[in-house]
Amino acid sequence: MMVLDPVKGTVFLCLTGLGTVGNSLVFVSYMHMFQSTEQKPIHLILAHLTLTNIIMLLSKGMPKTIEAFNFGNYLNDTSCKAVVYLARVSRGLSICTSSLLTVVQAITISPRHSMWQRLNLKTPQHILFSLLCLWILNSLISMNLLSYIKNVSSLNITQFKKKGNYCYFLPESWITRWIFLTLMVLRDAVFQGAMGGASGYMIFLLHKHHQQVLYLQNSKLLYRTPPELRAAQSVLLLMLCFLFFYWADCFISLFFTFSIENHSTVLYVPEFLTLGYAVLSPFMLIHRDEQVIKCFHTQ
């Protein structure tokens, strides 16, 4: 374990640093585009997604890096509550923001008279209100953590210090545990259901567009793909990336819970998966969105 700690610390440090830099660049680019050009709601959502990624990386990746390098217990009760609470809230915000991004993109490319156009999410004011509601929702769902997190130094639990765990979850009543667990499961199910429905609808529209392109090519007519449809393809790739890391984390964590002892080094694998989407998503946006590259050159 001691030999592998510097390796784990280096991996966490690289992931956290790389992801923070990438998300910061994309955040600045989308905020610049939102303020200087046409105020597209999709830019505001993408900026919020990168901000959520930064919070997750700093609240999840940095503590794990410091723990792996054994720099000592640097947290007190208040900072323990803040770090664990922000990590939980940012995870929920990542799910909700990704779902909102998919729904808004489906509205953007949908035909004028479709049912998706009835959803009133077309202005920055509506998006800001939606994001505020998401913050309130996830803050309330994670509220129980503030009462049940303590620093191990204040509890004198030496066995947890040896493992490098600085924050300890106090036992809570099974009623409280199941209430908040049920709320988290319902949140994930509802927002991933919305994500799945919007993604399926976009795939249907992209398939129709592909059929039209084939017809025009056979007719020897020139046709250029609209930027909205290219953006929809990017959002779909982003959602596939999110779902991969989310469900891989769930299944591997569940497998480890029933098959591997707590002190095993492979328990760090779910931690790496938790950071995977936050690290990879900004570079997918940089690769797919030409406007981000243009914004880099402009700045």
Side-chain angles (χ1 to χ4, degrees), residues 12 117 185 238 277 290:
F12 276 121
Q117 292 292 334
V185 171
L238 206 61
Y277 177 65
E290 296 178 355

Side-chain angles (χ1 to χ4, degrees), residues 193-257:
M195 187 189 303
S199 298
Y201 181 66
M202 283 196 292
I203 291 172
F204 170 72
L205 291 179
L206 289 174
H207 176 70
K208 287 181 62 177
H209 171 260
H210 180 66
Q211 297 297 322
Q212 293 174 356
V213 170
L214 290 178
Y215 171 77
L216 292 174
Q217 287 177 345
N218 291 333
S219 302
K220 297 183 180 180
L221 296 175
L222 294 177
Y223 182 80
R224 185 175 181 181
T225 303
E228 292 80 7
L229 293 181
R230 292 200 302 271
Q233 294 171 350
S234 300
V235 170
L236 285 174
L237 288 175
L238 206 61
M239 293 310 100
L240 287 175
C241 176
F242 169 80
L243 291 173
F244 168 78
F245 282 108
Y246 178 89
W247 286 107
D249 180 24
C250 289
F251 284 123
I252 293 177
S253 298
L254 187 64
F255 175 76
F256 284 172
T257 299

Side-chain angles (χ1 to χ4, degrees), residues 52-64:
T52 301
N53 290 339
I54 292 171
I55 297 173
M56 179 181 292
L57 288 165
L58 295 180
S59 61
K60 195 83 172 177
M62 285 306 297
K64 290 297 179 183

Side-chain angles (χ1 to χ4, degrees), residues 6 9 16 37-38 50 67 79 81-82 90 93 106 143 147 151 175 190 209 232 254 270 289:
T16 304
T37 60
E38 180 184 356
T50 56
E67 288 174 10
S79 53
K81 293 178 188 293
S90 62
L93 284 172
M143 192 66 70
S147 302
N151 181 267
I175 296 178
V190 169
H209 171 260
L254 187 64
D289 195 342

Side-chain angles (χ1 to χ4, degrees), residues 70-260:
N70 296 315
F71 285 149
N73 193 344
Y74 63 100
L75 297 175
N76 54 27
D77 281 347
T78 302
S79 53
C80 260
K81 293 178 188 293
V83 167
V84 177
Y85 183 72
L86 284 175
R88 178 72 65 82
V89 171
S90 62
R91 178 187 177 277
L93 284 172
S94 179
I95 297 170
C96 298
T97 307
S98 299
S99 177
L100 179 63
L101 174 65
T102 315
V103 171
V104 171
Q105 188 61 54
I107 295 173
T108 302
I109 67 173
S110 62
R112 182 173 300 178
H113 301 292
S114 69
M115 55 175 272
W116 289 92
Q117 292 292 334
R118 300 176 185 175
L119 296 175
N120 204 4
L121 292 171
K122 298 180 182 179
T123 66
Q125 291 76 18
H126 294 137
I127 297 302
L128 286 173
F129 179 74
S130 300
L131 294 175
L132 176 62
C133 291
L134 295 182
W135 272 95
I136 295 173
L137 172 66
N138 287 283
S139 298
L140 292 176
I141 288 179
S142 304
M143 192 66 70
N144 66 315
L145 294 177
L146 299 177
S147 302
Y148 295 99
I149 296 176
K150 293 287 183 181
N151 181 267
V152 293
S153 296
S154 62
L155 300 173
N156 195 25
I157 305 178
T158 57
Q159 62 268 32
F160 286 93
K161 292 181 186 179
K162 291 178 182 178
K163 294 180 183 179
N165 297 314
Y166 301 145
C167 300
Y168 176 69
F169 288 82
L170 295 174
E172 56 183 337
S173 65
W174 66 271
I175 296 178
T176 303
R177 183 185 305 133
W178 281 105
I179 287 175
F180 283 92
L181 181 61
T182 302
L183 291 174
M184 290 174 59
V185 171
L186 284 175
R187 177 201 61 196
D188 290 5
V190 169
F191 281 95
Q192 288 197 53
M195 187 189 303
S199 298
Y201 181 66
M202 283 196 292
I203 291 172
F204 170 72
L205 291 179
L206 289 174
H207 176 70
K208 287 181 62 177
H209 171 260
H210 180 66
Q211 297 297 322
Q212 293 174 356
V213 170
L214 290 178
Y215 171 77
L216 292 174
Q217 287 177 345
N218 291 333
S219 302
K220 297 183 180 180
L221 296 175
L222 294 177
Y223 182 80
R224 185 175 181 181
T225 303
E228 292 80 7
L229 293 181
R230 292 200 302 271
Q233 294 171 350
S234 300
V235 170
L236 285 174
L237 288 175
L238 206 61
M239 293 310 100
L240 287 175
C241 176
F242 169 80
L243 291 173
F244 168 78
F245 282 108
Y246 178 89
W247 286 107
D249 180 24
C250 289
F251 284 123
I252 293 177
S253 298
L254 187 64
F255 175 76
F256 284 172
T257 299
F258 291 104
S259 63
I260 297 179

Side-chain angles (χ1 to χ4, degrees), residues 25 42 53 73 100 144 261 293-294:
L25 291 174
I42 201 76
N53 290 339
N73 193 344
L100 179 63
N144 66 315
E261 297 180 3
I293 304 297
K294 292 179 182 178

